[in-house]
């Protein structure tokens, strides 16, 4: 769109769209909340849409970005398109996100697939006749891709999509933290603030774990890497932030994916940058489709004379095509 040229403009415009959709959701909520109890005592919030007749509908499971919610701009745009197709939608929030509180000291991290795996398995057991689909964005794209690779031939999803996938969590965060005198620095600050806000909301619960947390250092972290070192890696028992981030990256799992999976990346994405896309993995695995756009920023994808999202079009078209041949 000529009104939002370049990756930064597209990214910021889409981010501002969150607030418009959040305000709209207060007036016309379209999701039904389920507080899902996990096997370890943890809780994740599930926001369901079109849940009145699950047994006859495909179900799209959605993982959003870092601390993302069902109010995210791109989630709402895709939901509206899925509603036209008659699909049910469930947005699966990370622990402590989406207005929920932690019920155990364990928070979430960028490669933690256990919760998504447990929720999907439960939905598949409850509704075995419903084809399950996976749609993910940004941090959620890394988690979902890693999950699909870990499951391999046993993955219960019929198809999946990852939009704005970072692929290599250590390199992405190192890239963001290094942009001291670049417009990209604003994303580093924003993500760090999201993480600190999530920590403060459940600080008492997180620090009740038998872990040597330094709350002052966590609160004063000046980079995502420092926050990961002081809080996240300790909460999950990793030796270092790099160890956690390397272990969390979905890139090494691409070769094990055995369901049709579309990856949508923008070449002007200021966060998930082009040089980190593992092109060789896509050449070597026939289940993977990599779609690249020259413009779109980080999950912006705005087109038209007046900027309007178009990401929901290829997403819905891919799912419709995959479901058409699902039983073949």
């Amino acid at each position: 769109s000529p009104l939002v040229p370049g990756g930064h403009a597209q990214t910021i415009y889409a981010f501002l769209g969150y607030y418009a959709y959040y305000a709209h959701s207060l007036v016309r909520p379209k999701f039904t909340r389920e507080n899902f109890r996990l096997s370890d005592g943890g809780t994740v919030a599930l926001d369901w849409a079109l849940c009145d007749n699950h047994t006859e509908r495909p179900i799209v499971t959605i993982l959003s970005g870092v601390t993302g919610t069902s109010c995210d701009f791109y989630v709402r745009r895709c939901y509206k398109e899925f509603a036209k197709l008659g699909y049910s939608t469930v947005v699966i929030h990370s622990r402590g996100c989406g207005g929920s509180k932690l019920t155990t000291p364990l928070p979430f991290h960028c490669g933690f697939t256990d919760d998504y795996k447990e929720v999907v398995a439960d939905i598949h057991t409850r509704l075995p006749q419903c084809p399950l689909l996976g749609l993910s964005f940004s941090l959620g794209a890394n988690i979902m891709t890693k999950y699909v690779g870990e499951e391999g031939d046993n993955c219960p999803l019929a198809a999946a999509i990852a939009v704005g996938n970072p692929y290599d969590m250590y390199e992405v965060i190192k890239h963001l933290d290094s942009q001291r005198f670049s417009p990209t620095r604003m994303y580093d600050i924003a993500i760090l603030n999201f993480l600190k806000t999530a920590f403060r909301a459940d600080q008492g619960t997180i620090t009740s774990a038998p872990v040597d947390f330094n709350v002052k250092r966590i609160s004063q972290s000046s980079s995502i890497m420092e926050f990961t070192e002081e809080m996240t890696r300790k909460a999950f028992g990793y030796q270092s932030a790099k160890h956690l981030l390397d272990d969390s990256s979905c890139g090494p799992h691409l070769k094990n994916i055995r369901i049709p999976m579309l990856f949508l990346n923008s070449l002007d994405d200021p966060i998930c940058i082009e040089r980190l896309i593992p092109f060789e993995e896509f050449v070597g695995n026939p289940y993977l489709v990599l779609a690249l756009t020259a413009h779109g920023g980080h999950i912006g994808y705005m087109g038209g004379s007046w900027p309007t999202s178009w990401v929901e079009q290829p997403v819905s078209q891919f799912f419709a095509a995959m479901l058409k041949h699902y039983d073949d």
Side-chain angles (χ1 to χ4, degrees), residues 56-73:
E56 297 180 7
R57 300 180 188 274
I59 301 173
V60 183
T61 64
I62 298 180
L63 293 180
S64 190
V66 58
T67 69
T69 76
S70 55
C71 293
D72 286 343
F73 174 76

Side-chain angles (χ1 to χ4, degrees), residues 10 163-164 264-266 293 295-297 299-303 308-311:
Q10 295 253 334
V163 183
L264 180 59
N265 284 92
S266 170
T293 62
H295 305 290
I299 323 178
Y301 299 110
M302 300 292 168
T308 304
S309 169
W310 55 263
V311 70

Side-chain angles (χ1 to χ4, degrees), residues 81 133 172 208 210 223 255 272:
E81 200 64 27
L133 303 164
V172 163
S208 69
S223 68
K255 63 180 178 293
C272 301

Side-chain angles (χ1 to χ4, degrees), residues 169-186:
M169 293 306 306
Y170 177 73
E171 289 297 329
V172 163
I173 291 177
K174 189 169 74 169
H175 159 70
L176 288 172
D177 284 348
S178 68
Q179 304 300 303
R180 296 293 179 179
F181 304 102
S182 163
T184 303
R185 174 63 174 164
M186 70 180 113

Side-chain angles (χ1 to χ4, degrees), residues 105-108 206 209 211 213 228-238 244:
L106 197 69
F108 71 93
I206 294 172
V211 177
F213 290 115
T228 305
E229 181 67 37
E230 293 296 337
M231 198 286 281
T232 317
R233 70 93 181 172
K234 291 183 179 180
F236 285 88
Y238 282 89
L244 180 149

Side-chain angles (χ1 to χ4, degrees), residues 104-119:
T104 69
L106 197 69
F108 71 93
H109 73 71
C110 57
F112 190 59
T113 58
D114 291 11
D115 292 353
Y116 180 68
K117 177 178 181 178
E118 188 169 340
V119 171

